[in-house]
Amino acid sequence: MKNIDSYTHTRGESIYLDDIPLVQGTLYAAVFGSPVAHGKIKNLDLSAAQSAQGVVRVFTHKDIPGQNQIGGIIHDEKLLAEDEVHYNGMPVAMVVAESQEAAYAAVKMIKIEIDPLPIVTDPREAQQLGLLSVPARTFKLGETASAFSFCKYVIEGIAETNGQEHLYIETQGAYVLPKENGHLFVYSSTQGPTAVQRHMSHVLGLPMHQIEVDVTRLGGGFGGKEDQATPWAIFCALAAFHLKRPVKYSLHRMEDMRMTGKRNPYSSDFKIGLNEDLMIVAYEADYYQNSGAAADLSPAILERTLFHSNNSYFIPNVRTTAYCCKTNLPPNTAFRGFGGPQAMFVIEAAIVKAAEIIGVSPEAIQKKNLLKTGDEFPYGQKAQSEAVPCWEKSEDIYEVEKIKKDIALFNASNILFKKGYSYMPICFGISFTKTLMNQARALVHIYTDGSVVVSTGAVEMGQGVNTKMLQVAAAVFSIDSSRLKINSTNTYRIANTSPSAASATADLNGMAVKIACETILERLKEFVANDFKCNAADVSIEKENVIVRGEKVMPWNELITKCYVNRVSLSEHAHYATPEIHFDGVKEKGHPFAYHVYGTAITIATVDCIRGTYEIDAVKLVHDFGSSMNPIVDKGQIEGGLVQGIGWMTMEEIIYDKEGKLRSGALSTYKVPDIYSVPKDISLHFLETNNDNLAIFRSKAVGEPPLMYGIGTYFALRNAVKAFNPESTIGFSAPMTPEKVLMGLYDRNNVSNKNI
Ligand code: MTE
Ligand code: HPA
Ligand code: MOS
């Protein structure tokens, strides 16, 4: 089925927050963020702002009727600062005015005096100072200490990954309309409508049933709107609550970049032990996660880092420890992969470093240690693995031996251009790591004309989930997709939703749609069986026709009308909870994932050894889809995820200075991939696998995993640098910007290349 949004997207008719027609009397909000990263507020002078033209009112924490608290996992984050500020951009006050311009102008008139406190931006420094948002966590399998003593090779090192700006095309925003008797209608660009509803209820002191959150679609979320869409909606609601007027706030790009959190940067130590046969016997890692000034989702992200420490390899002895380090940066948050990519970079760096020291190719180690079915993850779950089939398929169809030969030939005959390649296998667990979040609901109505409307808790953000929801309903009823419509995501229709995240949205909500439709279908069949004096098992609906014992007896719409006339319910609300999954957070063991997604990427890159610039020639993928229910949508996710991963690994460079001020806070200073940075060749092989799995229609989740293929780019580029300067001490610190490539190329330690 074609993506149902393709028509309105290409015509510019799709409705985002900024396209919602405004109600007369709408006011506009703007937030005043702290100009410094840490300190005590001595004085806040709002007088000029309050009396500025067009300003209706300026709000501070004193205007909050409920609790000044928006922390999701732990209660450590205030909506508006009280006596201290913890990061540059932390909201201190909100201006509400008759126009957006007046609101911004008044924000500039606010004066604040702050007594400075020490600023920490480095996670390792924070850990040393004891600044942790939650206690450290450790996962263990086997016994590493004794295992290392039996290893032939033991290699240690450091690996670092920087943050990443979400850069959803639609910035954060919300529009709140006060209705009668205290009911607030909230348009929010959020992945988590229930999170908005719940936190708004706490801040305003209202029961959740007074708050209706409605989402048509997002112009991208990428994790940045899982938790961090919430404050902007509450700001609008706080003003609407007091002023009894509609209030809108749609952030300017530079406000969004300055005030919201990003992917968590990590600095990590690794220690890897191998035996003579290149089997990885033991692995240890310490992850220092930069969580920013509040926990936000960082403790859950940290947990996923621990779940993915071994990427796609079986290692019998593992000890990993992760620290959630509190710094004076905006609270970092979910970003496609949710801590998984950060862990995978570290193990890949460990393998590459080990290969260099041992004198073998990294893929010799990678291939030897791929997870096999039945292998145990460090958290106790047993693998149902497609790691080996993905790897072998890629060697086979992409003619790897020829690729290697061609690269060797190219490098031997070129002095100023060098090529490098890498293998990047991935393994990603599907399910929210917090078991209770793995539940969803759907509401299906059939109208008397035979048309169907489906509502779920899924939020469409470009990933095509709405299309998949309709595919499920069309398949169960066996009716044409033109009969189906998906409704907006609304907390009055579907309650207590988990955010659309963890790549699990289609599985969870799709299963709920399937159950709802199957329940209705059973009722329809029973009605027909009764009418035709047969068993329900003799009745089916095929391609819009009711079939009884092989005979067409009536079309779909006639059946629906008859059911209505006979007072048969044509509606159903269904609930789905993923079976089998569990996790014990004390023992750190269990079976947290419904299944895993596997894949292999081969990346080829060329470096210009004068300029330090580079091109990604090709990324060749074999991806385990189970059985894709929508290959075109899924291909879009693979390509988009890959390019986003390449951006993180190469050009996207977030820079905070020592004062905690963002120096890359605009699109002139922060470079994201564009059409010219996309690999010239992206080949994708759909690996169809027949194993039973808990995915909807056995079509495995696809949202996040492909981002991790981008990690291969770092190592392909690094290999090209090493081909030019074999003694380069270039380490493992992403992103691999052209500046870093250049410094690696001309790193003058022990130079043997006479061209340097
Ligand atoms: N694709 C688009 N176009 N826009 C997005 O915001 N978010 C990603 C991924 N793909 C995103 C996207 C993230 S972070 C996740 S968790 C999944 O989609 C969420 O959707 P799913 O659960 O339906 O895969
Ligand atoms: N992934 C994404 N988002 C989440 C998760 C997860 O595992 N847990 C809580 N929020
Ligand atoms: Mo995605 S990071 O789970 O929103």
Side-chain angles (χ1 to χ4, degrees), residues 310-322:
N310 59 313
N311 187 12
S312 166
Y313 311 107
F314 171 65
I315 310 174
N317 301 285
V318 176
R319 195 276 307 148
T320 50
T321 302

Side-chain angles (χ1 to χ4, degrees), residues 74 135 355 420 468 487 636 646 669 742:
I74 60 173
K468 289 184 175 178
N487 215 333
I646 292 176
T669 46
L742 206 55

Side-chain angles (χ1 to χ4, degrees), residues 164 640-650 706-711 713:
Q164 186 176 21
L642 166 68
V643 173
Q644 199 166 35
I646 292 176
W648 175 49
M649 280 289 120
T650 59
L707 181 129
M708 286 150 262
Y709 292 133
I711 296 171
T713 308

Side-chain angles (χ1 to χ4, degrees), residues 312-386:
S312 166
Y313 311 107
F314 171 65
I315 310 174
N317 301 285
V318 176
R319 195 276 307 148
T320 50
T321 302
Y323 302 92
C324 187
C325 310
K326 203 167 176 163
T327 59
N328 298 111
L329 301 181
N332 287 314
T333 194
F335 198 135
R336 208 169 193 170
F338 207 75
Q342 289 95 323
M344 293 185 195
F345 183 81
V346 181
I347 181 104
E348 292 304 320
I351 289 172
V352 167
K353 186 162 182 185
E356 272 167 18
I357 290 174
I358 299 170
V360 296
S361 70
E363 64 264 28
I365 300 177
Q366 289 171 308
K367 189 176 173 182
K368 261 246 150 93
N369 293 280
L370 291 173
L371 275 163
K372 295 185 187 66
T373 295
D375 283 344
E376 186 176 342
F377 287 96
Y379 46 91
Q381 186 162 345
K382 298 276 188 339
Q384 170 61 267
S385 174
E386 309 293 352

Side-chain angles (χ1 to χ4, degrees), residues 73 226 297 300-301 303-304 334 337-338 428-429 431-434 437 499-503 593 704:
I73 296 178
E226 182 174 338
L297 291 165
I301 294 163
E303 185 180 47
R304 200 176 262 280
F338 207 75
F428 195 75
S431 286
F432 284 98
T433 54
K434 200 174 172 70
M437 294 175 80
S500 286
S503 306
F593 298 117
E704 293 165 286

Side-chain angles (χ1 to χ4, degrees), residues 11-181:
R11 290 170 62 93
E13 292 172 358
S14 297
I15 293 179
Y16 298 89
L17 187 89
D18 263 341
D19 302 308
I20 296 167
L22 298 182
V23 170
Q24 201 170 23
T26 293
L27 298 173
Y28 300 83
V31 161
F32 170 75
S34 170
V36 300
H38 198 193
K40 280 200 181 321
I41 300 176
K42 255 174 55 188
N43 188 37
L44 181 65
D45 179 0
L46 305 171
S47 53
Q50 264 156 349
S51 53
Q53 189 162 21
V55 170
V56 177
R57 185 163 159 184
V58 183
F59 294 85
T60 67
H61 71 93
K62 294 181 187 134
D63 301 299
I64 291 173
Q67 297 157 20
N68 183 17
Q69 183 52 244
I70 55 165
I73 296 178
I74 60 173
H75 291 174
D76 69 343
E77 189 175 0
K78 293 186 178 2
L79 178 71
L80 283 161
E82 292 180 8
D83 38 12
E84 279 194 11
V85 289
H86 301 287
Y87 63 93
N88 185 318
M90 177 170 172
V92 178
M94 168 180 59
V95 175
V96 176
E98 299 287 349
S99 71
Q100 191 68 67
E101 296 71 26
Y104 282 136
V107 161
K108 293 208 179 100
M109 298 174 194
I110 293 175
K111 294 191 191 71
I112 191 165
E113 286 172 55
I114 296 175
D115 272 343
L117 288 167
I119 294 166
V120 178
T121 57
D122 179 74
R124 289 181 188 257
E125 188 186 337
Q127 191 264 346
Q128 296 228 308
L129 294 168
L131 299 170
L132 300 181
S133 292
V134 289
R137 284 179 72 175
T138 297
F139 279 19
K140 276 178 89 164
L141 177 68
E143 196 51 66
T144 47
S146 52
F148 279 124
S149 65
F150 296 111
C151 290
K152 167 133 195 225
Y153 309 104
V154 176
I155 290 104
E156 294 181 65
I158 295 179
E160 295 185 310
T161 48
N162 201 346
Q164 186 176 21
E165 169 62 47
H166 299 88
L167 223 95
Y168 21 65
I169 293 178
E170 178 189 43
T171 55
Q172 303 275 7
Y175 182 31
V176 176
L177 305 161
K179 305 268 176 170
E180 62 180 21
N181 293 321

